[in-house]
Amino acid sequence: MRKTTPTRLSDLAATMNTRSTEEQHESGDDHDRPLLVLGAPGIDASGNPLTSPSNRRAFLARASTLSLALPGIGAALAACAPDGQSSRRDSAASAAQQTGGRSGEDSLGLHNSNSRLDTAVLRDPGHGASSATTANSDAAAAALRRYDPALPPLSANRTLRLNWRAMEVPLRIQADTVVAAWTFEGDIPGPIVHCRVGDTVEFTLTNEVAVPHSMDFHAAQIDPKVAFRSVTKGQSVTFTFRPKWAGAFMYHCGTAPVLMHIGSGMYGAIIVSPREPLPPAKEFVLVQSEFYLAESVNGVRPFDYNKMLSTLPDYMAFNGRPNQYIDNPIRVKVGDRVRFWVVNCGPTHPSAFHVVGEQFDTMYLGAPPGTPIRGVQTWDVPPGGGMCFELVCDVPGEFPFVNHAFGHAQKGAIGFLVVEP
Amino acid sequence: MRKTTPTRLSDLAATMNTRSTEEQHESGDDHDRPLLVLGAPGIDASGNPLTSPSNRRAFLARASTLSLALPGIGAALAACAPDGQSSRRDSAASAAQQTGGRSGEDSLGLHNSNSRLDTAVLRDPGHGASSATTANSDAAAAALRRYDPALPPLSANRTLRLNWRAMEVPLRIQADTVVAAWTFEGDIPGPIVHCRVGDTVEFTLTNEVAVPHSMDFHAAQIDPKVAFRSVTKGQSVTFTFRPKWAGAFMYHCGTAPVLMHIGSGMYGAIIVSPREPLPPAKEFVLVQSEFYLAESVNGVRPFDYNKMLSTLPDYMAFNGRPNQYIDNPIRVKVGDRVRFWVVNCGPTHPSAFHVVGEQFDTMYLGAPPGTPIRGVQTWDVPPGGGMCFELVCDVPGEFPFVNHAFGHAQKGAIGFLVVEP
Amino acid sequence: MRKTTPTRLSDLAATMNTRSTEEQHESGDDHDRPLLVLGAPGIDASGNPLTSPSNRRAFLARASTLSLALPGIGAALAACAPDGQSSRRDSAASAAQQTGGRSGEDSLGLHNSNSRLDTAVLRDPGHGASSATTANSDAAAAALRRYDPALPPLSANRTLRLNWRAMEVPLRIQADTVVAAWTFEGDIPGPIVHCRVGDTVEFTLTNEVAVPHSMDFHAAQIDPKVAFRSVTKGQSVTFTFRPKWAGAFMYHCGTAPVLMHIGSGMYGAIIVSPREPLPPAKEFVLVQSEFYLAESVNGVRPFDYNKMLSTLPDYMAFNGRPNQYIDNPIRVKVGDRVRFWVVNCGPTHPSAFHVVGEQFDTMYLGAPPGTPIRGVQTWDVPPGGGMCFELVCDVPGEFPFVNHAFGHAQKGAIGFLVVEP
């Protein structure tokens, strides 16, 4: 018999309508205590993520002790100088990206970049059981934060300047799970970018970690060999693009092997609104992705490249935390038009996007507002793709949004849209 | 080496054109003895399914002896009172639904409902090897019946009253396989519902089994928290909706964990015709789904929740029986327009729907008749979705319809459309 | 832990942007030595494929020594007469198909066809570990050839006469891998066919091998029972069709079990251009498919039917060779419109087609030029389906085209479109 993923209570329970209305009324819990996560432990929100430089250094130092799993990376990490710039900001990354974030030049030249080591890592990433550095006693300090799904407003400025960092952080994706994440700006997914067709995006990536990284925006028409090239630790790459088409586009690290870099957390969404605004709506961004994890080491679970190749994920999530919008739903009002920009970052499985109790009155097959179709219950968003779904909330209630491929969705790709009267 | 599903002759053989025309003519068998199921044993159609109340009680009693696999469910079943209403009707469920079926109120209050037990079941469904109650010496009596794929005619009445039961039955899905099914109205899939945009559907579900169940119609715009809530044994839930959009919509039990409830058989199709009729056609409904089964116990195979999570099914079928339309094809005449309403109930895999030797002259991407496209060989219906496919049968012959994802389809998602001269 | 496919260096490394631009400039390698296949051994292009009749006989004789894996096939092969017509042509199959190829009648009646044996093979293909005949000391002679992705020009003649053979050959799909291929005309995929809506295609298949084979064109509207019937060794089948709809259509062997015949290499693409030409473009055909292989025997890897059923492939490729267009990219010029006709032959997984650094300005959802959509980053081509993607190469550079489902794509479904200034 093929052995499957250990079944977790939180997987089993996270879904719709587990109790009769009688029970719900008895216990008096509406959203504050989630209806749908039976048996899930209370969330520890100690709120003290890895914010001090000393914690950061400790993380990297301890990570190196596990590096046997990934030959070469230990040496790279050991060579890492203490890094005063590496503290993780508390401010939302989405705020940072709208204002341009910190200056990427700060840390240039601080690191002992060694492309030979990086290359060694690239040649041999799959020989061990783990594809990510790991082990951190600070894991306990990584708080579970809700990822804000709201589409950030457009800037008045028609030029967006983004200075992002490729960062390694321990990230708590659910109450009992901290992952050794490769990230853009310290989160999975990275910051949501919002611009218009024809806007200018000036982007700089600075790599703060020992493994080479890069950035590939699906919204850009540009030579990938130059713009999406990998940079080693301490290096930066800068490029500028003007989105030609509206839509929900993926961005991700494109460094080889791409599967490992996407699979370890380096992705996000750039939403390009059309020149002529779409009908007014409450707009949200949902990034679906999969998590393939090795067993925990000192409280942190590294990503597992061989599992990624096996295509059977441990978790699937919207915006990086399994079931987060069950506990903390997305809220709108009766009469609102809701627009979901759904980006499927995979790395592998499609997203059969569906809202329970609703249908989409409009979906755009081409760049919005092109080729609208009507009356859709479920549509597949391919990995590496994005689609725009709209519905009008005529009816108050609690509407689960799901990936209707439940063999995967049961592992966390379920949330709630609450329509308040 | 990864061990795979045991290979069955019927899996291997069930497909197109296994012999030359010479051989076919020699043996003189056309459709009566299926060309394509080499080595499949003769079908036992003893035609005596679990119809008497005593059989029903016996089934539940025996099921409880196996309940160690699913803590809590044994006690729930043991508490079940003898149930005079639980006999399985011989009449086709599709007839029942058009006329409103039996009165759902009959069994209200008869059962010793115990929501605490139900909750225990929900908390712990995956700890054992099995996710369904099982074991039944009556399994031998469960006959293999063809599921009628014809779209039921529209009622003259613009209000459809449906009184359905959530039932546990042993269901023979192929000659050598009886499953411990969770069903709507005793079959997988449940009855086909057919109505028009703007019709009123008054629906009542009465739960006859110890595990909580519910109903989620994808054609309804309604608050799921109320309408799609779970009911325990003996309870009923009633709701009313008016479909807004035409299309092929899934319905299913939405009780947590949804994967288990869909994966164990609680799904079906509601077809909503547009207000203005589509062009005249022979209309058929095909519900694709997957079966994940544990080893047989006393002749019945329980559903296996861990296998569902592994996403590698044992069988895949149109309308609940692997390969049933190879043996007993769908028959039309030359010149007919054929309309397939394909609903993919998953729980997990897409359906790459295709008819061998034909192309679809029309497919509707939006609610029919919206956004027709032309000249399609194959289109993916996502799990939880439905699409409408049309072709004109200009040419007589035998046309296999398949899920062209053959790694799964080879396990039973193949049938025949016979176009008679 | 579930054991996964052994990780190969070439899998891990084959992707985008593995080194910084500094490194690239240091080594001075542009396309001649692929940037992206780190650690891949040099390609042996000894160019001496199995071309002599004696080699062919030797192949079949040796194959029979392994036939225990597949009861019945050994006897069938042993009965095979020496075959003077079986030499593999050096000329591109795509040239052959445009001119009608060799006369299919040559070998009729030469073989000791025995349908009883064929049937035995069909009844029992999955009992062994291997689904294909194998073992060949000539494997070393099978050269790695690039599959030309260019769409062949339309013939002036409105009737296309194709005489093809079902052939078993050892085929080198990458430097270190030779597979025991079942093919049309000796290659995976088979020849690209190009015609117009309304053209006449007169097709003959002659089966040169001991296992029955057949041909199913998705572009044909025809009775499959007759036209797509299986023929045994030495037999031929002929049929004629006129494509009704434009598009990128799959063709494949439809003999039972279809999964085995598609999975072992018997597929390809027929591109039907519309009557009114589409806008001028550089047109390419990409056939995505999966490889499920058993361990090597005497240097040849048989296809593994049980692995096909497990749906976890060893390799995924465009046009039959993993990563071939990384080493030898597709080249166009700035300003060119590029049209990709993408056919997904599966057998199982969708293709999330994407070009890095570009968007498709046009994709046709219906038969081209019907239902164009604009501004697409990624679109799923279902297994058994085909789609037409267009982009304008405004920007010079190196643009990877990929299946963005990277859990599979990392195994070889990556290539390069180079846009030269």
Side-chain angles (χ1 to χ4, degrees):
Chain A
M1 287 301 306
R2 179 168 156 203
K3 195 158 166 298
T4 59
T5 299
T7 303
R8 287 160 181 283
L9 270 186
S10 51
D11 296 344
L12 299 175
T15 182
M16 324 160 205
N17 280 314
T18 59
R19 293 175 294 173
S20 68
T21 41
E22 286 81 353
E23 288 177 276
Q24 289 167 8
H25 293 157
E26 268 170 28
S27 63
D29 52 359
D30 256 314
H31 302 300
D32 304 329
R33 264 170 144 264
L35 291 183
L36 308 184
V37 186
L38 301 177
I43 291 165
D44 173 89
S46 59
N48 185 26
L50 196 65
T51 48
S52 80
S54 64
N55 280 357
R56 171 78 183 160
R57 278 196 306 274
F59 170 65
L60 292 176
R62 286 191 200 97
S64 69
T65 67
L66 271 199
S67 60
L68 290 176
L70 205 50
I73 205 168
L77 290 169
C80 170
D83 173 6
Q85 273 73 40
S86 63
S87 63
R88 187 140 157 277
R89 291 164 307 161
D90 287 322
S91 58
S94 58
Q97 57 93 358
Q98 293 299 319
T99 59
R102 50 148 217 144
S103 158
E105 289 74 40
D106 293 354
S107 60
L108 274 178
L110 288 185
H111 301 291
N112 180 18
S113 171
N114 185 331
S115 60
R116 222 173 298 262
L117 277 172
D118 299 330
T119 303
V121 170
L122 283 174
R123 283 178 193 271
D124 222 3
H127 278 204
S130 165
S131 69
T133 60
T134 181
N136 179 22
S137 62
D138 298 323
L144 181 60
R145 291 175 301 106
R146 180 180 190 262
Y147 188 100
D148 185 356
L151 179 69
L154 284 167
S155 164
N157 197 329
R158 303 303 302 254
T159 297
L160 223 56
R161 287 186 189 83
L162 307 178
N163 280 295
W164 288 4
R165 294 161 296 171
M167 300 167 69
E168 228 171 52
V169 298
L171 185 72
R172 188 173 298 274
I173 62 166
Q174 57 184 9
D176 63 353
T177 309
V178 176
V179 300
W182 289 359
T183 72
F184 292 111
E185 289 291 292
D187 210 347
I188 300 178
I192 299 167
V193 182
H194 186 195
C195 63
R196 271 156 301 202
V197 169
D199 283 0
T200 298
V201 180
E202 295 179 9
F203 178 80
T204 295
L205 178 71
T206 301
N207 186 0
E208 296 195 345
V209 292
V211 174
H213 291 302
S214 60
M215 173 57 90
D216 168 348
F217 276 102
H218 284 194
Q221 190 196 27
I222 201 166
D223 181 4
K225 187 182 178 182
V226 176
F228 301 167
R229 72 181 181 273
S230 295
V231 287
T232 53
K233 187 170 183 174
Q235 287 187 321
S236 293
V237 58
T238 298
F239 58 91
T240 298
F241 63 97
R242 287 201 198 166
K244 252 184 170 170
W245 299 102
F249 294 94
M250 181 180 179
Y251 64 74
H252 62 92
C253 178
T255 299
V258 179
L259 174 62
M260 188 165 94
H261 287 253
I262 295 178
S264 299
M266 303 192 78
Y267 49 78
I270 172 170
I271 308 305
V272 183
S273 287
R275 288 178 199 270
E276 295 299 314
L278 294 170
K282 300 286 176 66
E283 300 185 90
F284 302 98
V285 178
L286 295 175
V287 172
Q288 181 183 297
S289 65
E290 306 138 27
F291 289 81
Y292 302 86
L293 303 174
E295 290 306 306
S296 174
V297 181
N298 294 340
V300 179
R301 298 185 70 177
F303 285 88
D304 184 328
Y305 186 73
N306 282 332
K307 261 197 189 174
M308 293 176 202
L309 286 166
S310 81
T311 73
L312 190 64
D314 295 298
Y315 301 108
M316 187 176 272
F318 291 118
N319 293 342
R321 285 86 169 155
N323 301 316
Q324 69 178 318
Y325 303 120
I326 293 178
D327 300 336
N328 297 289
I330 296 175
R331 294 178 185 278
V332 299
K333 297 282 186 195
V334 167
D336 282 342
R337 173 170 289 276
V338 168
R339 183 172 296 122
F340 285 114
W341 300 90
V342 179
V343 174
N344 182 2
C345 291
T348 300
H349 295 290
S351 178
F353 191 65
H354 171 80
V355 177
V356 177
E358 277 289 357
Q359 294 121 26
F360 303 110
D361 73 341
T362 307
M363 252 202 69
Y364 303 98
L365 297 180
T371 331
I373 64 172
R374 309 290 178 187
V376 172
Q377 69 192 295
T378 304
W379 199 268
D380 251 344
V381 183
M387 310 289 278
C388 182
F389 299 80
E390 293 185 11
L391 59 96
V392 177
C393 298
D394 296 325
V395 178
E398 303 181 9
F399 301 84
F401 54 87
V402 302
N403 170 1
H404 217 292
F406 272 106
H408 302 305
Q410 196 69 63
K411 299 170 177 176
I414 300 176
F416 264 93
L417 174 71
V418 173
V419 179
E420 296 171 340
Chain B
M1 287 298 305
R2 178 167 155 204
K3 195 160 166 294
T4 60
T5 300
T7 302
R8 289 163 181 281
L9 270 186
S10 51
D11 296 344
L12 299 173
T15 182
M16 325 160 206
N17 281 314
T18 58
R19 294 175 294 171
S20 68
T21 41
E22 285 81 355
E23 287 178 277
Q24 289 168 7
H25 293 157
E26 268 170 26
S27 62
D29 52 0
D30 256 314
H31 302 301
D32 305 329
R33 265 172 143 262
L35 290 183
L36 309 185
V37 186
L38 301 177
I43 292 164
D44 173 90
S46 59
N48 184 28
L50 197 63
T51 49
S52 80
S54 64
N55 280 358
R56 172 77 182 160
R57 280 196 305 275
F59 170 66
L60 291 176
R62 285 190 201 100
S64 70
T65 67
L66 273 197
S67 60
L68 291 176
L70 206 50
I73 204 169
L77 290 170
C80 170
D83 173 7
Q85 274 72 40
S86 63
S87 63
R88 188 140 158 277
R89 291 162 307 163
D90 290 320
S91 59
S94 59
Q97 57 93 359
Q98 293 299 319
T99 61
R102 51 149 215 146
S103 158
E105 289 74 39
D106 292 354
S107 59
L108 274 177
L110 287 187
H111 300 290
N112 180 19
S113 172
N114 185 331
S115 60
R116 221 172 300 261
L117 278 172
D118 299 331
T119 303
V121 170
L122 282 175
R123 283 180 192 272
D124 221 5
H127 278 203
S130 164
S131 69
T133 62
T134 181
N136 178 22
S137 63
D138 298 324
L144 181 60
R145 292 174 301 106
R146 181 180 190 263
Y147 188 101
D148 185 356
L151 178 70
L154 284 168
S155 163
N157 198 329
R158 303 303 301 255
T159 297
L160 222 56
R161 288 185 188 85
L162 308 178
N163 281 296
W164 288 5
R165 295 162 296 171
M167 302 169 67
E168 229 172 51
V169 299
L171 184 72
R172 189 173 298 274
I173 63 165
Q174 58 183 8
D176 63 353
T177 309
V178 177
V179 300
W182 289 359
T183 73
F184 292 112
E185 289 292 290
D187 210 348
I188 302 177
I192 299 168
V193 182
H194 186 195
C195 63
R196 269 157 301 203
V197 169
D199 283 0
T200 299
V201 180
E202 295 179 8
F203 178 81
T204 296
L205 178 71
T206 301
N207 186 1
E208 297 194 346
V209 292
V211 174
H213 290 301
S214 60
M215 173 57 89
D216 168 349
F217 277 101
H218 284 194
Q221 191 197 26
I222 201 165
D223 181 3
K225 187 182 178 182
V226 176
F228 301 167
R229 72 182 182 272
S230 296
V231 286
T232 53
K233 187 169 183 173
Q235 288 186 320
S236 293
V237 58
T238 297
F239 58 91
T240 297
F241 63 98
R242 286 201 199 165
K244 252 183 171 171
W245 299 102
F249 294 94
M250 181 180 178
Y251 65 74
H252 62 91
C253 178
T255 299
V258 180
L259 173 62
M260 189 166 93
H261 287 254
I262 295 178
S264 299
M266 302 192 77
Y267 49 78
I270 173 169
I271 308 304
V272 184
S273 287
R275 287 178 200 271
E276 294 298 313
L278 295 169
K282 300 286 176 65
E283 299 185 271
F284 301 98
V285 179
L286 296 175
V287 172
Q288 181 183 298
S289 65
E290 305 138 28
F291 290 81
Y292 303 85
L293 302 175
E295 290 306 305
S296 174
V297 181
N298 295 340
V300 179
R301 298 184 71 176
F303 285 87
D304 185 328
Y305 185 72
N306 282 332
K307 260 195 189 175
M308 293 175 203
L309 286 166
S310 82
T311 73
L312 190 64
D314 296 299
Y315 300 107
M316 187 176 272
F318 290 119
N319 293 341
R321 287 85 170 155
N323 300 316
Q324 69 179 317
Y325 303 119
I326 292 177
D327 299 338
N328 298 288
I330 295 175
R331 292 179 186 278
V332 298
K333 296 282 185 193
V334 166
D336 282 343
R337 172 171 291 276
V338 168
R339 183 172 298 122
F340 285 113
W341 301 89
V342 179
V343 174
N344 182 2
C345 291
T348 301
H349 296 289
S351 178
F353 192 65
H354 171 80
V355 176
V356 177
E358 277 289 355
Q359 293 122 27
F360 303 110
D361 73 342
T362 306
M363 252 202 69
Y364 303 98
L365 297 181
T371 330
I373 63 172
R374 310 290 178 187
V376 171
Q377 69 191 297
T378 303
W379 199 269
D380 251 343
V381 183
M387 310 289 277
C388 182
F389 299 80
E390 293 185 12
L391 59 96
V392 178
C393 298
D394 296 324
V395 178
E398 303 181 9
F399 301 84
F401 54 88
V402 302
N403 171 1
H404 218 292
F406 271 106
H408 302 304
Q410 195 70 63
K411 299 169 177 177
I414 301 176
F416 264 93
L417 174 71
V418 173
V419 179
E420 295 173 340
Chain C
M1 287 297 307
R2 181 168 155 205
K3 194 160 166 295
T4 60
T5 299
T7 303
R8 289 159 181 282
L9 269 185
S10 51
D11 297 343
L12 300 173
T15 183
M16 326 159 203
N17 281 317
T18 59
R19 293 174 294 170
S20 68
T21 41
E22 285 79 354
E23 288 177 277
Q24 289 167 9
H25 293 157
E26 269 170 26
S27 63
D29 51 2
D30 255 313
H31 303 302
D32 304 330
R33 262 169 147 263
L35 291 183
L36 309 182
V37 187
L38 301 177
I43 292 165
D44 173 89
S46 60
N48 185 26
L50 197 64
T51 48
S52 79
S54 64
N55 280 357
R56 173 76 183 161
R57 278 196 306 274
F59 170 66
L60 291 176
R62 285 190 201 99
S64 70
T65 67
L66 273 198
S67 60
L68 290 176
L70 205 51
I73 205 170
L77 290 168
C80 169
D83 173 8
Q85 274 73 37
S86 63
S87 62
R88 189 140 157 277
R89 291 164 306 163
D90 288 320
S91 59
S94 59
Q97 58 91 357
Q98 292 298 321
T99 59
R102 51 147 217 145
S103 159
E105 289 74 41
D106 293 354
S107 59
L108 274 176
L110 287 185
H111 302 291
N112 180 19
S113 171
N114 184 330
S115 60
R116 221 172 299 261
L117 277 171
D118 298 330
T119 303
V121 169
L122 283 174
R123 282 179 193 273
D124 221 6
H127 278 203
S130 163
S131 69
T133 59
T134 180
N136 179 20
S137 62
D138 297 324
L144 181 60
R145 292 175 300 108
R146 181 182 190 262
Y147 188 101
D148 185 356
L151 178 69
L154 285 166
S155 163
N157 198 328
R158 303 304 300 253
T159 297
L160 222 55
R161 288 186 189 82
L162 308 179
N163 281 295
W164 288 3
R165 295 162 294 171
M167 301 168 67
E168 230 172 52
V169 300
L171 184 72
R172 188 173 297 276
I173 63 165
Q174 57 184 9
D176 63 354
T177 309
V178 177
V179 300
W182 289 359
T183 72
F184 293 112
E185 291 290 291
D187 210 347
I188 300 178
I192 299 167
V193 183
H194 186 197
C195 63
R196 269 157 301 202
V197 169
D199 284 0
T200 299
V201 180
E202 295 180 8
F203 178 80
T204 296
L205 178 71
T206 301
N207 186 0
E208 297 194 346
V209 292
V211 175
H213 290 301
S214 61
M215 173 56 90
D216 168 349
F217 277 102
H218 284 194
Q221 190 196 25
I222 200 165
D223 182 4
K225 187 183 178 181
V226 176
F228 301 167
R229 72 181 182 272
S230 295
V231 287
T232 52
K233 187 170 182 172
Q235 287 187 322
S236 293
V237 58
T238 297
F239 58 90
T240 297
F241 63 99
R242 286 201 199 167
K244 253 183 168 170
W245 299 102
F249 294 94
M250 181 180 179
Y251 64 75
H252 63 91
C253 179
T255 299
V258 180
L259 174 61
M260 188 166 94
H261 287 253
I262 295 177
S264 299
M266 301 191 79
Y267 51 77
I270 172 170
I271 307 306
V272 183
S273 288
R275 288 178 200 271
E276 294 299 313
L278 295 169
K282 300 286 176 66
E283 300 185 90
F284 301 98
V285 179
L286 296 175
V287 172
Q288 181 183 299
S289 65
E290 306 138 28
F291 289 82
Y292 302 85
L293 303 175
E295 290 306 305
S296 175
V297 180
N298 295 340
V300 179
R301 299 185 71 176
F303 285 88
D304 184 328
Y305 185 72
N306 282 332
K307 261 196 189 174
M308 293 176 203
L309 286 165
S310 81
T311 73
L312 190 64
D314 295 299
Y315 300 107
M316 187 175 272
F318 291 120
N319 293 341
R321 286 84 169 155
N323 301 317
Q324 67 180 318
Y325 304 119
I326 293 177
D327 299 336
N328 298 287
I330 296 175
R331 293 177 185 278
V332 299
K333 296 284 184 192
V334 166
D336 282 342
R337 172 170 291 275
V338 168
R339 183 172 297 122
F340 286 113
W341 301 89
V342 179
V343 174
N344 182 2
C345 291
T348 300
H349 296 289
S351 177
F353 192 65
H354 171 80
V355 176
V356 177
E358 277 288 357
Q359 294 122 27
F360 303 109
D361 73 342
T362 306
M363 252 202 67
Y364 303 97
L365 296 180
T371 329
I373 62 172
R374 311 289 178 187
V376 171
Q377 68 191 297
T378 303
W379 199 267
D380 251 344
V381 183
M387 309 290 277
C388 182
F389 299 80
E390 293 185 11
L391 60 96
V392 178
C393 298
D394 296 325
V395 178
E398 302 181 10
F399 301 85
F401 53 88
V402 302
N403 171 0
H404 217 292
F406 271 106
H408 301 304
Q410 196 70 62
K411 299 169 177 178
I414 301 175
F416 264 93
L417 173 71
V418 173
V419 179
E420 296 171 340

